[in-house]
């Protein structure tokens, strides 16, 4: 076995260039005084044809956060917020997907798997934080329905599992919006999106 | 289409009280918590578009309705939603108003048909007056939306 030692690199070879040295307290890369990093390479070549490289770290600059055994998100936006409208909507759609025939105590039909998929697909396309969330429910014929009853706009949109959706809506000025056989990957017109908006 | 506008004038069977007249009021039970939002608003999904074409939107003619028959229907549905007490309600749909709705072509939206049964002579149903697309049927149930929001208890209905 052979050991090959290369020229030892310094920390500055690896850290972002800021014009300041790592020992400088104003060094931006680490926000404070950094330790010198000394990294040795050792390269061993086996008598056979295998080459292996190992890197021994004596010490490297570190951030205390990354040495913990778990990581806390530094803000809530970095982890899933279960109160998010889109997540709640998806959960509600999937809940409806568990309903069985006769769910209403009479002849209520369960939604088909395709109806659930179509609804979910559209919901992922539609929802953003700037929009009001719909009331989602199941009609007795198996339709998954999205319904908005807003001060200036009422909107009814639903899925039957044929890969399309249809809708009808009316704003407070009496203007109507109606469509049939819209593919589930087709977003709503901008005019409707504006009426569903929170602002 | 199961019925046409001409069928509004027909009596279904011998024990029927006759065709539904314009001045009558229809009682629609709104119970299912599925269709009522947290702030008590009844969703459009309370009326299925398929019922508007195929099976009819069931109602009871107030002039002929029996309290115990409606009570039985409510009790039957309560079994499936035992925790839902506060949302039980009966909406009053004036037949004249229902028959007065029109579509964008100024044609009647609905027909109201006598569908008396031997165990409930008050039974009637609301249908779309003609074949329509899903979008058009959504407009029809949107027309009924305001009528479903004001609901009464069984006691109130039979004491008013």
């Amino acid at each position: 076995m052979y050991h090959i030692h290369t020229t030892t690199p310094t920390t500055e070879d690896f850290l972002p260039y800021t014009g300041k040295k790592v020992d400088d307290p104003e060094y931006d890369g680490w926000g404070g005084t950094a330790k010198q990093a000394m990294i040795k390479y050792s390269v061993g070549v086996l008598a056979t044809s295998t080459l292996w490289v190992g890197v021994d770290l004596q010490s490297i600059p570190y951030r205390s956060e990354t040495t913990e055994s778990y990581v806390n998100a530094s803000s809530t936006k970095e982890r899933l917020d279960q109160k998010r409208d889109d997540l709640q909507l998806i959960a509600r759609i999937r809940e409806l997907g568990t309903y069985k025939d006769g769910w209403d105590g009479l002849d209520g039909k369960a939604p088909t798997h395709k109806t659930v998929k179509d609804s979910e697909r559209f919901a992922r396309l539609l929802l953003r934080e700037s929009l009001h969330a719909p009331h989602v429910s199941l009609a007795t014929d198996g339709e998954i329905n999205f319904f908005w009853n807003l001060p200036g706009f009422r909107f009814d949109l639903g899925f039957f599992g044929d890969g399309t959706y249809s809708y009808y809506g009316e704003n407070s000025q009496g203007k109507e919006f109606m469509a049939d056989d819209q593919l589930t990957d087709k977003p709503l017109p901008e005019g409707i999106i504006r009426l569903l908006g929170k602002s | 289409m199961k019925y046409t506008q001409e069928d509004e004038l027909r009596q279904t069977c011998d024990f029927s009280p006759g065709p539904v007249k314009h001045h009558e009021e229809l009682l629609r039970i709104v119970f299912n918590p599925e269709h009522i939002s947290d702030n008590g608003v009844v969703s459009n999904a309370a009326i299925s578009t398929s019922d508007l074409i195929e099976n009819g939107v069931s109602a009871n003619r107030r002039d002929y309705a029996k309290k115990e028959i409606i009570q039985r229907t409510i009790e039957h549905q309560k079994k499936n939603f035992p925790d839902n007490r506060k949302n039980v309600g009966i909406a009053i749909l004036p037949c004249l108003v229902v028959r007065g709705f029109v579509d964008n072509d100024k044609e009647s939206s609905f027909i109201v048909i006598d569908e008396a049964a031997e165990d409930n002579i008050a039974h009637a149903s609301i249908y779309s007056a003609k074949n329509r697309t899903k979008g058009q049927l959504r407009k029809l149930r949107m027309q009924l939306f305001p009528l479903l929001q004001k609901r009464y208890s069984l006691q109130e209905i039979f004491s008013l």
Side-chain angles (χ1 to χ4, degrees), chain A residues 12-23:
Chain A
E12 285 162 298
D13 292 329
F14 298 97
L15 299 174
Y17 177 73
T18 61
K20 296 187 185 297
K21 295 205 179 284
V22 295
D23 281 339

Side-chain angles (χ1 to χ4, degrees), chain B residues 27-128:
Chain B
L27 306 177
R28 168 75 177 172
I29 300 170
V30 181
F31 178 87
N32 201 316
E34 266 305 312
H35 303 142
I36 304 173
S37 67
D38 291 339
N39 55 4
V41 173
V42 177
S43 163
N44 264 15
I47 293 184
S48 82
T49 54
S50 302
D51 279 349
L52 283 171
I53 294 291
E54 295 162 14
N55 307 318
V57 176
S58 281
N60 283 280
R61 300 163 70 173
R62 189 176 185 182
D63 290 346
Y64 308 100
K66 295 275 188 285
K67 185 178 175 182
E68 50 273 16
I69 293 176
I70 297 179
Q71 179 75 49
R72 211 180 304 140
T73 306
I74 291 174
E75 291 301 323
H76 177 78
Q77 291 191 307
K78 263 187 191 175
K79 283 180 195 167
N80 291 280
F81 305 101
D83 297 327
N84 181 38
R85 306 231 180 267
K86 62 180 167 71
N87 283 323
V88 177
I90 300 172
I92 299 175
L93 281 59
C95 187
L96 188 64
V97 173
V98 173
R99 283 178 173 157
F101 287 120
V102 295
D103 63 12
N104 291 356
D105 297 325
K106 301 289 186 273
E107 294 182 8
S108 289
S109 294
F110 302 103
I111 52 176
V112 181
I113 303 294
D114 162 37
E115 284 192 332
E118 197 166 359
D119 59 349
N120 183 12
I121 63 168
H123 187 248
S125 290
I126 303 169
Y127 291 85
S128 170

Side-chain angles (χ1 to χ4, degrees), chain A residues 92 96 99 103-106 135 137-141 143 145 147 149 154 156 158 160 166 168 176 180, chain B residues 32 34-35 37 41 43-45 48-50 76-77 80-81 104 133-136 138-139 141-142 145:
Chain A
R92 173 65 177 145
L96 294 178
Y99 285 24
W103 57 269
D104 60 341
L106 299 169
H135 174 70
S137 59
L138 186 61
T140 54
D141 56 2
E143 174 205 354
N145 180 258
F147 185 63
N149 182 40
R154 208 171 280 154
D156 173 348
F160 283 92
S166 58
Y168 174 79
E176 295 184 317
D180 286 285
Chain B
N32 201 316
E34 266 305 312
H35 303 142
S37 67
V41 173
S43 163
N44 264 15
S48 82
T49 54
S50 302
H76 177 78
Q77 291 191 307
N80 291 280
F81 305 101
N104 291 356
T133 68
K134 283 277 188 274
Q136 290 169 332
R138 292 181 193 285
K139 173 179 170 127
R141 67 184 187 186
M142 194 73 87
F145 172 84

